[in-house]
Amino acid sequence: MRPLISSPLPFSAGSSLSAPRLLSTAPQPSRPLAPAGVPPYTPLTATKPFPSIVIGADGMASHGSFASAQEAFINPDPSRVSSLAAALQASNSCVVAHYYMDVELQAVLAALPDQSRVFVADSLAMGDAAVRMVEAGADSVICLGVDFMSESVKAIMSKNGHASVPVYRATAAPIGCSLAESAEALSYGAWLTQGAAKAKNPLHVIYINTSLETKALSTQLMPTVTCTSSNVLRTMLQSDLQVEDLSVYYGPDTFMGENLRTLFQKVLANWSDAEIKERLHPEHSRASIQRLHDNLNVFPSGNCVVHHMFGAECTKTVTENYPDAFVSAHLEVPGEMFEIAMEKSISGKGVVGSTADILNFIKDKVAEAAEAVEAGGKPPAGKKNLQFVLGTEAGMVTSIVNNVQAILSSMPLARDHVTAEIVFPVASDAVTQDPDSEFGGIVPGVSGGEGCSTAGGCATCPFMKMNDLDAVLDIAETIRDGDVSSLAGHHPPNRIAGKMLGDREAVDVGVDSIMHMRHLMSEGRFSDELVQEVKQRSAI
């Protein structure tokens, strides 16, 4: 039986999850997918309802308007690449960016000749990457993501002795996050307060997609550790080992919490003690997983406006029209899509996890197919197309294209005979970016005929898309010209700067939960300080 998740298993005390990859492979010039001597290829989704991009070693073929728009920007304008490269070098700036940036921006970042100045990953790695680049000599950091990301990057840099190095966001306007804002409601504090008053050995596991203020206030109510989608399962497994009779309070992402509960149920339904020790964690058993399941409390009212779209309607279309496809699901998606991907993961046809987990799964499957062709010693008669339903934000397609093309280009026999097709699920309840909207820049509904556009719809985050290439270039050139005073509004949020919680700076209290996470990732276990705090603040 295959693992239910894609992270390296089993976990051991000193193990770490796969590190996000640098976008170090510049895109190849787009060419038709049918090389000389190879029969023309028709994408399998020509009559399918969702748009898709078919990726070959030397080019792409798109189906649907959204996919065509992605393809148009994946191979960037060389002049745009050279302009940004020159501006970053002249300003001695570096860039950390999330996978969910728009395709044009990611393509330019991927094509920069000096990759030491750019790092594209999920939120877990962005702060550490900024520290590394500053310690390598960068004088400023341009952080591309939503506001909690730039806030976290700044906090991690400060904790590492780089508080004086400026961090700039792409815009002076707030870059919100529906999930982060759900934890700022009064109901979230009330939920934690009620839990702290009745629970034995309570631990609040808070998703990193929250503000530093939320993390600080939560820490005052209950011992708190930050997690990401890459390490949330590891966080829960390890905390249960170190604290007897642990009560976990997970928030604010309701879908992720319920999906973890479902994962525990699947483990209990499918694995023996021996399989749990081999595939999940060497110190866990059916009894401990049952205990974790029973003592997991999930905040009931938090979700991401993008991942929320992967609901029943979308899932039904996937099931009916893509029965043989690989299916991926971010931990933030609704349970319907999660269950499909989890069921498929048992037979190696699916993956559930973080953005990095999904990227690595696609890479592994493409490499596996290509290596099988190479092992045959001669070109096969036709093409093998691997179809992947992308159950997360569509912005990561640039990373997928670059990595798939790098794999296929290195295989002389497979390069013309293996392709990867990325299918973008569309939901009728997509959201669209509208700067003039009274609802904070997004409105319900889709942007174009098939429910997709580069500005909204088709699982693209309208908040992430507030980061654009022109803005990054403007910031780098402004730093180069020495007019940094005009960028004052671009600094990360500082709502709790200078404020106190008890006898401590609120910022330091907010960072505590992040440092607990970093301790787990570096040492393989939580600090004795956190364990003691959990036990001392027990209500029973």
Side-chain angles (χ1 to χ4, degrees), residues 20-82:
R21 271 59 168 179
L22 282 169
L23 288 179
S24 57
T25 306
Q28 301 293 321
S30 183
R31 299 203 298 269
L33 278 175
V38 178
Y41 174 68
T42 301
L44 294 183
T45 56
T47 59
K48 300 291 186 180
F50 289 154
S52 68
I53 290 179
V54 183
I55 308 165
D58 299 308
M60 293 165 282
S62 58
H63 166 67
S65 60
F66 177 79
S68 297
Q70 302 296 296
E71 181 184 359
F73 285 108
I74 284 176
N75 295 310
D77 181 343
S79 67
R80 304 279 274 170
V81 175
S82 60

Side-chain angles (χ1 to χ4, degrees), residues 276-294:
I276 289 173
K277 292 181 183 300
E278 177 185 355
R279 298 186 171 102
L280 192 62
H281 195 293
E283 297 181 64
H284 273 278
S285 64
R286 290 178 56 82
S288 65
I289 298 302
Q290 184 69 63
R291 181 175 65 243
L292 256 177
H293 172 273
D294 294 344

Side-chain angles (χ1 to χ4, degrees), residues 387-474:
Q387 197 174 59
F388 299 90
V389 176
L390 188 64
T392 189
E393 218 274 0
M396 68 176 296
V397 68
T398 310
S399 301
I400 295 171
V401 169
N402 290 336
N403 280 279
V404 167
Q405 289 187 332
I407 293 169
L408 296 179
S409 296
S410 68
M411 307 276 188
L413 295 178
R415 60 177 293 122
D416 294 336
H417 297 274
V418 176
T419 55
E421 183 175 12
I422 308 303
V423 179
F424 303 99
V426 182
S428 61
D429 56 347
V431 291
T432 301
Q433 187 176 26
D434 179 6
D436 299 322
S437 167
E438 61 179 304
F439 301 107
I442 61 170
V443 296
V446 295
S447 302
E450 66 178 1
C452 290
S453 82
T454 53
C458 203
T460 63
C461 175
F463 301 110
M464 287 288 194
K465 300 313 181 275
M466 292 174 70
N467 299 267
D468 62 68
L469 180 57
D470 289 334
V472 177
L473 185 58
D474 286 345

Side-chain angles (χ1 to χ4, degrees), residues 167-302:
V167 175
Y168 298 106
R169 302 176 304 122
T171 174
I175 308 178
C177 169
S178 60
L179 183 58
E181 289 164 7
S182 67
E184 295 172 7
L186 292 176
S187 58
Y188 197 77
W191 174 70
L192 287 176
T193 300
Q194 292 170 3
K198 66 181 182 181
K200 183 173 183 179
N201 295 336
L203 176 64
H204 176 215
V205 179
I206 187 169
Y207 195 27
I208 197 170
N209 294 27
T210 48
S211 70
L212 206 58
E213 181 179 31
T214 296
K215 293 180 177 73
L217 295 175
S218 297
T219 299
Q220 290 292 97
L221 298 173
M222 184 183 290
T224 298
V225 58
T226 298
C227 73
T228 71
S229 54
S230 296
N231 65 24
V232 60
L233 178 60
R234 182 180 183 182
T235 298
M236 293 187 182
L237 292 171
Q238 186 60 38
S239 60
D240 179 80
L241 292 175
Q242 290 187 244
V243 180
E244 187 177 358
D245 296 325
L246 178 72
S247 300
V248 173
Y249 283 77
Y250 174 79
D253 193 314
T254 305
F255 287 138
M256 185 181 293
E258 293 300 336
N259 287 339
L260 288 165
R261 198 193 307 275
T262 299
L263 188 149
F264 292 144
Q265 292 170 351
K266 293 292 185 182
V267 167
L268 292 169
N270 288 281
W271 289 358
S272 65
D273 280 344
E275 288 172 315
I276 289 173
K277 292 181 183 300
E278 177 185 355
R279 298 186 171 102
L280 192 62
H281 195 293
E283 297 181 64
H284 273 278
S285 64
R286 290 178 56 82
S288 65
I289 298 302
Q290 184 69 63
R291 181 175 65 243
L292 256 177
H293 172 273
D294 294 344
N295 294 331
L296 174 59
N297 303 274
V298 178
F299 179 63
S301 306

